Amino acid sequence: MNRKRRTTILVKAGASLAKEMAREVTEHYDVKEIVAPRNGLTMLKVRETAKRSLFYLGEVLMTETMVEIEGSIGKGMVIGLEEEWSRDLAIIDAAYGAKLPIMARWNQLLQAKEEAIIDQENKEQAHLMETKVSFETMSI
C-alpha cells in the first residue's frame, strides 16, 4: 500500500485508528523524535474545475512531526492543532519505511477501513442524490 493511499485512509478514519496503530509500535520499538510536533502554515492548492488550472486558495494551519524508527524517517502532517495525531502519523510512516513485521496485519486493517469509508461515502452520496431536482421533466 503506497503512502498517499495509507495516509488518506488514516486521515479519513480519524485520530483513534492512528493512535491505536502508533501505540503498537511504541510498545515494541524505540521511537526517536527528530522534529517535535510544531505548528505552521502551508498554502492550500486547489484545482479550478472549469479550466482545470491550479491556484492557491490561501493558507491553512497545520501540525507536523518527524520521527525515526530503526533508521527509517517518518513524517506526519495534519491540518489543525493536532500534535498527537501528527506524531502518530509520523510513527506509522516510519514503521512502514522500516518494513516492520506488523505491516501485513496493518494492510489488512487499512483495507477493511478503506472499504468501510467508501461504503459510508456512497451512502452519503446516494442520500444527496435523492434530493436532486430533475429539470428534464419540463416540456416546452
Side-chain angles (χ1 to χ4, degrees):
M1 179 174 296
N2 67 25
R3 178 186 271 176
K4 182 177 180 180
R5 181 177 168 202
R6 180 178 67 237
T7 304
T8 300
I9 296 166
L10 287 166
V11 170
K12 286 183 176 182
S16 61
L17 178 62
K19 185 177 196 166
E20 177 185 321
M21 292 170 69
R23 182 185 48 78
E24 292 179 38
V25 174
T26 56
E27 288 176 353
H28 299 96
Y29 296 93
D30 182 38
V31 177
K32 180 181 165 188
E33 196 169 73
I34 296 173
V35 177
R38 63 181 179 190
N39 302 320
L41 295 172
T42 188
M43 295 298 289
L44 182 62
K45 193 185 306 186
V46 178
R47 183 170 302 278
E48 190 267 324
T49 55
K51 294 183 180 179
R52 306 286 300 156
S53 61
L54 291 172
F55 70 96
Y56 291 99
L57 186 62
E59 292 178 325
V60 64
L61 181 65
M62 58 164 289
T63 306
E64 66 177 332
T65 307
M66 285 180 74
V67 300
E68 181 181 353
I69 300 172
E70 295 191 357
S72 178
I73 295 176
K75 191 168 192 175
M77 295 188 296
V78 66
I79 293 175
L81 300 172
E82 302 284 349
E83 292 182 3
E84 193 172 322
W85 195 5
S86 172
R87 182 182 295 111
D88 293 342
L89 291 174
I91 291 170
I92 294 166
D93 187 43
Y96 268 91
K99 297 186 182 352
L100 300 181
I102 200 166
M103 286 175 30
R105 191 177 65 76
W106 280 1
N107 283 337
Q108 294 173 350
L109 175 71
L110 289 173
Q111 286 175 353
K113 192 63 173 177
E114 181 181 39
E115 290 171 9
I117 289 169
I118 290 170
D119 286 345
Q120 180 63 31
E121 288 175 346
N122 288 341
K123 286 178 185 174
E124 290 173 6
Q125 185 67 29
H127 180 69
L128 287 174
M129 293 305 287
E130 290 175 3
T131 64
K132 186 177 178 181
V133 176
S134 174
F135 291 100
E136 294 175 4
T137 59
M138 297 174 64
S139 60
I140 298 179

